Amino acid sequence: MVKIYSTPTCPWCTRVKDYLDKKNVSYEDYDVSRNRDAAIEMIKKSGQRGVPVVDINGTIIVGFDQNAIDRLIA
């Protein structure tokens, strides 16, 4: 299960989603600029207010960390 907490104007969010699309990894995208509950959930999980925050099976990645993503989706 992959969740991405993002905003529409975030270029790194777009890069994360494009990367997962290329790897054929399905994910749920939560727009924290419009979904307050998702924003609160993201902050509780990561301690961060910045995006992107990626949750892969409960492991949190802040930002676009390709190596960490690859390890977790392998």
Side-chain angles (χ1 to χ4, degrees):
M1 174 72 151
V2 178
K3 294 181 180 181
I4 301 173
Y5 300 91
S6 66
T7 63
T9 58
C10 164
W12 290 106
C13 300
T14 302
R15 289 193 64 185
V16 167
K17 291 182 264 189
D18 288 348
Y19 184 71
L20 291 173
D21 289 341
K22 287 179 190 173
K23 294 283 192 172
N24 294 315
V25 174
S26 60
Y27 56 86
E28 292 183 39
D29 183 27
Y30 297 90
D31 179 354
V32 297
S33 70
R34 295 175 187 237
N35 184 334
R36 180 172 162 74
D37 291 337
I40 291 167
E41 181 179 288
M42 175 192 79
I43 294 166
K44 284 182 181 177
K45 286 182 177 184
S46 68
Q48 301 291 316
R49 292 182 181 269
V51 289
V53 171
V54 183
D55 178 343
I56 301 176
N57 296 319
T59 300
I60 303 301
I61 301 168
V62 177
F64 176 44
D65 184 340
Q66 185 174 328
N67 292 329
I69 292 169
D70 286 342
R71 278 194 312 273
L72 293 169
I73 64 173

